[in-house]
Amino acid sequence: MNDFKVAAGSIASIKNLAKSLDVSEDMLLQVSEMPDESKYQVKEILKKNGDVRIVYNPNKFVRKLQRRINVRIFSDPNIIVWPHFLYGSIPSHFFDGVKIPRDYIACATVHCEARSLLQLDIENFFDNISYDIVLDVFKKVLKYSDDVSELLANICTKDGFLPQGALTSSYLACLSLHDVENNIVKRLNRKGMQYTRYVDDITISSKKNNNNFDFALRIVEEMLHSKDFPINLDKKKISYASSEPLTVHGLRVSFKTPRLPANEVGRIRASVNSLERMSKEKNYRQTHAYRHDFNKCMGRVNKLARVGHSQHERLSRKLNSILPLPSKKDVLRVKSMISRLEQDCKEGKSGIWHVKRFYLAHERLNVVQRSYPNIAAILRKKLHKIIPKMEG
């Protein structure tokens, strides 16, 4: 069993749990006992392949508790240290004072210079993570008492499974193989293979040409079957550098560092050039549509920085020369937002939505400042008087 927990203490009572999460015992019990249909709003999202993904949006009380659980338990390095082979939706870790991300690029980096790849996908991962598995995480990983573990499992599950969309689900999904995965990783490492899991995507690589993955496939299948997790056979893939470029999460890994495919770099460059042409249209830089396209384009260019691509600096300069500009509507809107925040402050209102509105107003002020610096300076002074306390 992999010992994720590093904290010496544990939570042995509902009273102590309420204290740890800074909420009342009554609130914990009420949310835990709430009917599942009242806890979540169902939302359907269309996937790229045409399939429908069901997402569950927690109500404000469930959301508040799940956020506290994330901040004060799952993402606290004094309580849990995440193993090196897990990536996606978990906190970055620090090594010699340097922040190491846990995103898809960091995951792909593990497999750099690979010559052979085995890629597997756990089918309907969240739907197959049962209440018992979640309960097991709180009891055996965090070593909480039975009543505390049962209450937390009730808050984090719906109809006996892990709902996709719940704030705690990604953390619990990563912990769902806590008692079997570490041993599999060690066995594969002894055979010269690297293992990573990015939520439900498993990648195993070897620096050997045409590596035989029969052993790896067998022990990983046994691990997943022990938890009743099915493999998506349509996404099972073995590939070799001798016959095709090897990619992990869309990045080429046959090199010392991950690289974007050449056609992806070309698409990013084309999107910047297209935005540059659109920016010359009269007043278009003041529109919401332009702002949306700019932010999307900037996100793609920043991807170049993460993989150390030489085009990043040049394309960043281009974007910085065509920043979105504010309209008079933006000025009126940010004034209204600040007035509402001031009123909330007078009435003693707080919470995550207040914090979000504060930072959204701050972000919009940065845009307003580009054309209306004097107005922005006055509004910024008002905003600094009402900095909210972050909930956590």
Side-chain angles (χ1 to χ4, degrees):
M1 177 174 168
N2 187 52
D3 198 1
F4 290 77
K5 187 182 178 186
V6 292
S10 186
I11 299 177
S13 68
I14 304 296
K15 180 180 180 180
N16 287 343
L17 176 63
K19 186 176 179 181
S20 297
L21 300 180
D22 195 20
V23 295
S24 68
E25 288 183 64
D26 285 344
M27 181 184 182
L28 280 175
L29 294 169
Q30 286 172 13
V31 173
S32 174
E33 295 166 3
M34 192 181 292
D36 283 342
E37 59 269 22
S38 301
K39 290 181 183 178
Y40 298 90
Q41 182 180 7
V42 180
K43 184 178 180 181
E44 293 185 351
I45 297 177
L46 193 66
K47 297 181 183 179
K48 289 182 180 179
N49 64 2
D51 292 342
V52 174
R53 175 185 286 120
I54 304 297
V55 175
Y56 300 91
N57 185 30
N59 72 33
K60 64 179 182 180
F61 302 108
V62 177
R63 182 177 292 273
K64 178 177 180 177
L65 288 181
Q66 289 180 349
R67 183 178 294 106
R68 295 287 176 92
I69 293 166
N70 283 353
V71 172
R72 302 192 181 198
I73 298 174
F74 292 137
S75 61
D76 186 343
N78 296 311
I79 294 177
I80 288 182
V81 172
W82 296 88
H84 63 89
F85 52 82
L86 292 180
Y87 294 84
S89 303
I90 59 175
S92 302
H93 68 282
F94 287 84
F95 183 76
D96 286 344
V98 178
K99 186 177 181 181
I100 310 297
R102 294 294 187 112
D103 61 5
Y104 71 100
I105 296 175
C107 186
T109 301
V110 175
H111 302 286
C112 279
E113 298 187 281
R115 303 296 297 168
S116 305
L117 280 181
L118 166 63
Q119 292 167 301
L120 302 168
D121 176 82
I122 305 172
E123 190 169 21
N124 298 324
F125 189 31
F126 288 83
D127 290 350
N128 281 292
I129 299 174
S130 66
Y131 173 91
D132 289 339
I133 291 175
V134 174
L135 181 64
D136 199 53
V137 167
F138 289 114
K139 288 176 70 172
K140 295 185 179 178
V141 177
L142 291 163
K143 301 177 176 63
Y144 293 164
S145 66
D146 288 354
D147 56 345
V148 169
S149 298
E150 288 167 10
L151 185 145
L152 287 169
N154 285 336
I155 291 171
C156 296
T157 58
K158 180 188 185 302
D159 298 327
F161 70 94
L162 199 61
Q164 190 162 0
L167 276 63
T168 45
S169 288
S170 291
Y171 289 105
L172 288 163
C174 286
L175 288 165
S176 63
L177 293 162
H178 67 92
D179 53 342
V180 290
E181 196 166 29
N182 191 53
N183 184 50
I184 296 297
V185 176
K186 287 180 178 177
R187 292 174 70 184
L188 291 171
N189 288 167
R190 286 197 292 266
K191 298 285 187 180
M193 288 179 269
Q194 295 296 321
Y195 172 105
T196 61
R197 177 161 63 88
Y198 188 91
V199 189
D200 57 355
D201 291 322
I202 293 172
T203 304
I204 300 167
S205 67
S206 171
K207 293 186 178 180
K208 291 181 181 178
N209 288 309
N210 303 318
N211 184 69
N212 187 321
F213 285 111
D214 288 350
F215 169 77
L217 187 58
R218 178 174 59 80
I219 66 171
V220 171
E221 284 182 337
E222 288 172 356
M223 172 185 74
L224 297 178
H225 290 161
S226 74
K227 297 284 186 175
D228 294 331
F229 292 160
I231 293 175
N232 187 334
L233 297 176
D234 292 337
K235 293 186 177 180
K236 182 168 73 172
K237 182 181 180 184
I238 294 175
S239 47
Y240 300 109
S242 58
S243 57
E244 61 182 295
L246 300 186
T247 61
V248 175
H249 306 308
L251 297 168
R252 296 178 65 187
V253 295
S254 296
F255 313 95
K256 287 186 177 180
T257 58
R259 295 185 185 179
L260 287 167
N263 58 353
E264 174 66 8
V265 177
R267 285 194 292 268
I268 293 172
R269 186 166 52 243
S271 68
V272 173
N273 292 336
S274 174
L275 191 71
E276 190 177 37
R277 286 193 297 272
M278 288 191 294
S279 71
K280 294 175 182 176
E281 296 180 18
K282 187 177 180 181
N283 298 328
Y284 189 60
R285 286 172 66 185
Q286 298 177 347
T287 65
H288 177 77
Y290 180 80
R291 198 169 299 169
H292 175 269
D293 290 343
F294 179 91
N295 290 336
K296 185 177 179 181
C297 196
M298 180 62 84
R300 297 180 73 186
V301 169
N302 285 339
K303 194 191 298 185
L304 295 174
R306 284 284 284 113
V307 297
H309 198 281
S310 59
Q311 290 284 312
H312 172 255
E313 190 175 341
R314 185 179 71 84
L315 294 177
S316 290
R317 284 199 303 269
K318 270 193 172 187
L319 287 181
N320 286 329
S321 69
I322 53 170
L323 291 167
L325 295 175
S327 65
K328 289 183 179 179
K329 283 185 179 179
D330 287 309
V331 177
L332 295 174
R333 192 176 292 117
V334 78
K335 282 182 177 179
S336 175
M337 291 173 72
I338 292 173
S339 294
R340 185 180 174 188
L341 286 165
E342 287 176 326
Q343 186 61 35
D344 284 352
C345 192
K346 286 179 184 177
E347 295 173 4
K349 292 182 180 179
S350 60
I352 191 64
W353 297 112
H354 181 81
V355 173
K356 285 184 175 180
R357 290 202 306 273
F358 175 86
Y359 285 107
L360 182 58
H362 196 281
E363 179 187 319
R364 289 192 171 172
L365 262 183
N366 291 338
V367 177
V368 167
Q369 186 172 327
R370 292 168 194 159
S371 297
Y372 306 96
N374 294 334
I375 294 174
I378 293 168
L379 294 175
R380 202 177 298 279
K381 285 181 180 178
K382 286 188 173 186
L383 198 59
H384 284 172
K385 292 179 181 177
I386 51 172
I387 297 175
K389 183 180 178 182
M390 194 69 176
E391 187 183 68

